[in-house]
PDB file of all heavy atoms in Angstrom:
ATOM      1  N   TYR A 250     151.536 136.231 163.804  1.00 93.00           N
ATOM      2  CA  TYR A 250     151.365 136.297 165.254  1.00 93.00           C
ATOM      3  C   TYR A 250     151.172 137.723 165.758  1.00 93.00           C
ATOM      4  O   TYR A 250     150.296 137.983 166.579  1.00 93.00           O
ATOM      5  CB  TYR A 250     152.538 135.625 165.984  1.00 93.00           C
ATOM      6  CG  TYR A 250     152.303 135.573 167.462  1.00 93.00           C
ATOM      7  CD1 TYR A 250     151.396 134.657 167.994  1.00 93.00           C
ATOM      8  CD2 TYR A 250     152.922 136.462 168.320  1.00 93.00           C
ATOM      9  CE1 TYR A 250     151.132 134.630 169.355  1.00 93.00           C
ATOM     10  CE2 TYR A 250     152.668 136.445 169.679  1.00 93.00           C
ATOM     11  CZ  TYR A 250     151.763 135.523 170.188  1.00 93.00           C
ATOM     12  OH  TYR A 250     151.496 135.508 171.535  1.00 93.00           O
ATOM     13  N   SER A 251     151.950 138.671 165.231  1.00 90.00           N
ATOM     14  CA  SER A 251     151.837 140.032 165.780  1.00 90.00           C
ATOM     15  C   SER A 251     150.471 140.644 165.458  1.00 90.00           C
ATOM     16  O   SER A 251     150.028 141.554 166.141  1.00 90.00           O
ATOM     17  CB  SER A 251     152.974 140.933 165.284  1.00 90.00           C
ATOM     18  OG  SER A 251     152.919 141.040 163.885  1.00 90.00           O
ATOM     19  N   ILE A 438     154.508 146.642 166.875  1.00 97.00           N
ATOM     20  CA  ILE A 438     155.024 146.265 165.557  1.00 97.00           C
ATOM     21  C   ILE A 438     156.203 145.323 165.744  1.00 97.00           C
ATOM     22  O   ILE A 438     157.015 145.511 166.649  1.00 97.00           O
ATOM     23  CB  ILE A 438     155.462 147.538 164.796  1.00 97.00           C
ATOM     24  CG1 ILE A 438     154.230 148.402 164.525  1.00 97.00           C
ATOM     25  CG2 ILE A 438     156.185 147.202 163.506  1.00 97.00           C
ATOM     26  CD1 ILE A 438     154.548 149.751 163.962  1.00 97.00           C
ATOM     27  N   HIS A 439     156.269 144.308 164.873  1.00 96.00           N
ATOM     28  CA  HIS A 439     157.334 143.308 164.972  1.00 96.00           C
ATOM     29  C   HIS A 439     158.661 143.868 164.446  1.00 96.00           C
ATOM     30  O   HIS A 439     158.741 144.312 163.308  1.00 96.00           O
ATOM     31  CB  HIS A 439     156.911 142.095 164.134  1.00 96.00           C
ATOM     32  CG  HIS A 439     157.906 140.985 164.098  1.00 96.00           C
ATOM     33  ND1 HIS A 439     158.617 140.667 162.971  1.00 96.00           N
ATOM     34  CD2 HIS A 439     158.303 140.118 165.063  1.00 96.00           C
ATOM     35  CE1 HIS A 439     159.411 139.637 163.242  1.00 96.00           C
ATOM     36  NE2 HIS A 439     159.236 139.285 164.493  1.00 96.00           N
ATOM     37  N   TRP A 440     159.674 143.860 165.295  1.00 97.00           N
ATOM     38  CA  TRP A 440     161.009 144.324 164.888  1.00 97.00           C
ATOM     39  C   TRP A 440     162.005 143.207 165.126  1.00 97.00           C
ATOM     40  O   TRP A 440     161.882 142.456 166.075  1.00 97.00           O
ATOM     41  CB  TRP A 440     161.454 145.526 165.728  1.00 97.00           C
ATOM     42  CG  TRP A 440     160.749 146.803 165.406  1.00 97.00           C
ATOM     43  CD1 TRP A 440     159.596 147.253 165.967  1.00 97.00           C
ATOM     44  CD2 TRP A 440     161.152 147.798 164.460  1.00 97.00           C
ATOM     45  NE1 TRP A 440     159.254 148.468 165.431  1.00 97.00           N
ATOM     46  CE2 TRP A 440     160.210 148.831 164.505  1.00 97.00           C
ATOM     47  CE3 TRP A 440     162.238 147.918 163.588  1.00 97.00           C
ATOM     48  CZ2 TRP A 440     160.293 149.967 163.707  1.00 97.00           C
ATOM     49  CZ3 TRP A 440     162.334 149.046 162.796  1.00 97.00           C
ATOM     50  CH2 TRP A 440     161.363 150.061 162.852  1.00 97.00           C
ATOM     51  N   MET A 466     157.114 148.386 170.257  1.00 97.00           N
ATOM     52  CA  MET A 466     157.954 147.420 169.556  1.00 97.00           C
ATOM     53  C   MET A 466     157.761 146.027 170.138  1.00 97.00           C
ATOM     54  O   MET A 466     157.732 145.858 171.350  1.00 97.00           O
ATOM     55  CB  MET A 466     159.422 147.833 169.645  1.00 97.00           C
ATOM     56  CG  MET A 466     159.684 149.169 168.984  1.00 97.00           C
ATOM     57  SD  MET A 466     161.380 149.733 169.210  1.00 97.00           S
ATOM     58  CE  MET A 466     162.075 149.360 167.616  1.00 97.00           C
ATOM     59  N   MET A 467     157.640 145.056 169.238  1.00 96.00           N
ATOM     60  CA  MET A 467     157.551 143.659 169.658  1.00 96.00           C
ATOM     61  C   MET A 467     158.751 142.939 169.067  1.00 96.00           C
ATOM     62  O   MET A 467     159.006 143.035 167.868  1.00 96.00           O
ATOM     63  CB  MET A 467     156.256 143.072 169.094  1.00 96.00           C
ATOM     64  CG  MET A 467     156.073 141.611 169.356  1.00 96.00           C
ATOM     65  SD  MET A 467     154.556 141.062 168.504  1.00 96.00           S
ATOM     66  CE  MET A 467     155.047 139.383 168.147  1.00 96.00           C
ATOM     67  N   PHE A 468     159.523 142.236 169.914  1.00 96.00           N
ATOM     68  CA  PHE A 468     160.726 141.538 169.450  1.00 96.00           C
ATOM     69  C   PHE A 468     160.533 140.028 169.558  1.00 96.00           C
ATOM     70  O   PHE A 468     159.719 139.570 170.363  1.00 96.00           O
ATOM     71  CB  PHE A 468     161.933 141.938 170.311  1.00 96.00           C
ATOM     72  CG  PHE A 468     162.235 143.408 170.256  1.00 96.00           C
ATOM     73  CD1 PHE A 468     161.840 144.260 171.275  1.00 96.00           C
ATOM     74  CD2 PHE A 468     162.891 143.943 169.157  1.00 96.00           C
ATOM     75  CE1 PHE A 468     162.114 145.615 171.220  1.00 96.00           C
ATOM     76  CE2 PHE A 468     163.163 145.301 169.092  1.00 96.00           C
ATOM     77  CZ  PHE A 468     162.774 146.140 170.116  1.00 96.00           C
TER      78      PHE A 468
END
Side-chain angles (χ1 to χ4, degrees):
Y250 185 75
S251 61
I438 295 172
H439 179 250
W440 287 89
M466 298 175 103
M467 176 184 149
F468 299 101

